[in-house]
């Protein structure tokens, strides 16, 4: 009798230990991708990585609902914070998926043009209309200033489960010297600038990511080091459309269709006044992709295609 009684607390203790071990396994942090640490050579990070697919929240039309956004470490593109962020040009060269990505630029000068009436719009709603009408997935790299200028459009993007939201800095400043004439951000402000934009965008819910694109695709070791603590993936792209300030849609279409391959990341713009021909080029791009057997998909799906 005494033997049976002494075994009860022992079995209970073993059960508690096993339960704790199981809980620790479940709470194990997100697996970090391989990458160079902060002491390695310049512009460390893969030009191609297969991003892990992760659960994302359902789209939310309420920008104040923080609960609709998963923790940053669980989002597509989340990476380790003790290493230079990976730099990605494209996804796997297999299958038939490609990513349509649209940059939403906004600078102080652009905002002044809007306020003065010199420019009507930097939000090309014709692009969004077509993508929605045809059910085409797309990923939008938003500047924080653009989000502030167009909260209703941002809410519309976040509410569409076929759209994904990513980060394009706050005010589209250059992170290196000699970047297409863009004013340069102070090195000490780089981290806060990008973190601020993640905060602004995440308030809208929807399909959030930890993907980031530098203005002009200009970056160096200093810029990558500044962004390492944010745990993000830098996305350049292997198909640059050349749509900014284009005066005809045909060159944009040719640039895209001549370069595109399975796994491609296509760089376009949704900033109407600075990319006025993109909406006219888009239907021809979509038709050309279909003729080649290529299918638009979310950036997270293209980078994580298996």
């Amino acid at each position: 009798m005494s033997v049976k009684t002494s075994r009860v607390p022992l079995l209970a203790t073993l059960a508690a230990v096993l339960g704790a071990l199981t809980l620790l396994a479940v709470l194990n942090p997100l697996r970090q991708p391989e990458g160079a640490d902060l002491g390695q050579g310049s512009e460390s990070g893969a030009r191609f990585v297969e991003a892990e697919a992760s659960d994302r929240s359902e789209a939310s039309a309420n920008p104040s609902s923080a609960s609709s956004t998963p923790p940053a470490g669980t989002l597509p593109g989340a990476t380790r914070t003790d290493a230079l962020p990976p730099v990605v040009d494209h996804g796997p060269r297999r299958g038939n998926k490609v990513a349509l990505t649209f940059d939403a630029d906004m600078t102080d000068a652009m905002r002044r043009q809007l306020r003065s009436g010199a420019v009507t719009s930097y939000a090309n709603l014709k692009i969004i209309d077509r993508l929605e009408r045809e059910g085409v997935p797309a990923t939008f790299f938003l500047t924080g200033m653009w989000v502030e200028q167009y909260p209703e459009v941002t809410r519309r993007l976040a509410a569409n489960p076929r759209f994904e939201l990513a980060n394009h800095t706050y005010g589209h400043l250059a992170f290196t010297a000699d970047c297409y004439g863009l004013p340069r951000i102070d090195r000490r402000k780089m981290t806060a600038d990008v973190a601020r934009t993640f905060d602004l965008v995440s308030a809208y819910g929807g399909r959030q990511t930890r993907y980031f694109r530098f203005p002009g695709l200009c970056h160096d070791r200093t810029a990558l080091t500044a962004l390492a603590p944010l745990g993000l993936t830098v996305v350049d792209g292997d198909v640059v459309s050349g749509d900014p300030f284009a005066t005809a849609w045909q060159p944009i279409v040719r640039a895209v269709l001549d370069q595109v391959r399975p796994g491609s990341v296509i760089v376009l713009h949704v900033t109407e006044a600075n990319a006025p021909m993109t909406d006219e080029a888009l239907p021809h791009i979509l038709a050309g992709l279909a003729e080649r057997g290529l299918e638009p998909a979310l950036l997270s799906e293209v980078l994580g295609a298996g």
Side-chain angles (χ1 to χ4, degrees):
M1 186 69 176
S2 60
V3 174
K4 288 183 181 180
T5 302
S6 64
R7 284 179 179 175
V8 172
L10 176 60
L11 290 174
T13 302
L14 288 174
V17 171
L18 288 173
L21 291 173
T22 301
L23 180 61
L24 287 173
V26 172
L27 297 178
N28 186 44
L30 180 70
R31 182 176 64 85
Q32 306 286 10
E34 292 301 320
D37 62 27
L38 292 176
Q40 283 191 261
S42 65
E43 290 210 23
S44 178
R47 304 304 299 183
F48 155 64
V49 297
E50 293 192 31
E52 290 186 319
S54 35
D55 293 335
R56 294 174 290 272
S57 65
E58 290 300 316
S60 170
N62 181 6
S64 64
S65 178
S67 62
S68 65
T69 303
T74 68
L75 298 173
T79 60
R80 56 193 293 177
T81 58
D82 62 346
L84 294 182
V87 179
V88 179
D89 284 329
H90 58 83
R93 295 302 192 187
R94 57 181 180 268
N96 68 336
K97 305 292 187 184
V98 297
L100 290 174
T101 69
F102 294 87
D103 292 357
D105 304 347
M106 182 65 69
T107 65
D108 282 327
M110 292 167 67
R111 189 159 58 179
R112 285 194 297 270
Q113 287 184 309
L114 281 172
R115 290 173 177 174
S116 70
V119 164
T120 302
S121 174
Y122 287 113
N124 196 329
L125 300 184
K126 293 179 183 177
I127 291 174
I128 301 171
D129 290 343
R130 181 171 293 276
L131 294 173
E132 289 180 338
R133 187 167 61 248
E134 299 186 14
V136 179
T139 301
F140 291 84
F141 283 83
L142 308 178
T143 56
M145 197 176 290
W146 191 92
V147 170
E148 291 174 339
Q149 184 68 40
Y150 296 108
E152 292 303 320
V153 182
T154 304
R155 190 173 294 112
R156 177 179 173 182
L157 297 177
N160 190 325
R162 292 181 179 272
F163 294 161
E164 208 166 44
L165 307 183
N167 188 323
H168 195 38
T169 75
Y170 177 74
H172 207 258
L173 296 173
F175 279 59
T176 66
D178 302 319
C179 184
Y180 301 99
L182 292 171
R184 189 175 184 182
I185 190 172
D186 188 300
R187 175 180 57 82
R188 294 166 295 182
K189 297 180 179 179
M190 291 179 177
T191 311
D193 179 279
V194 177
R196 177 184 184 183
T197 305
F198 274 127
D199 289 342
L200 282 169
V201 176
S202 68
Y204 287 81
R207 288 184 176 268
Q208 297 286 322
T209 73
R210 296 299 283 187
Y211 294 129
F212 170 79
R213 177 171 286 155
F214 285 100
L217 309 185
C218 303
H219 50 82
D220 56 17
R221 181 177 177 78
T222 298
L224 292 174
T225 301
L227 301 192
L230 300 180
L232 52 78
T233 295
V234 175
V235 180
D236 284 347
D238 64 323
V239 178
V240 177
S241 68
D243 62 338
F245 305 104
T247 57
W249 59 263
Q250 292 88 344
I252 302 171
V253 176
R254 284 196 299 269
V256 171
L257 298 183
D258 286 351
Q259 301 175 74
V260 71
R261 299 168 54 192
S264 281
V265 175
I266 303 168
V267 182
L268 294 156
H269 290 76
V270 72
T271 44
E272 185 173 10
N274 284 0
M277 306 306 298
T278 309
D279 60 273
E280 293 192 42
L282 184 57
H284 302 281
I285 291 172
L286 294 175
L289 293 176
E291 290 174 1
R292 289 159 175 76
L294 297 173
E295 179 182 343
L298 294 174
L299 178 61
S300 59
E301 296 174 4
V302 171
L303 298 185

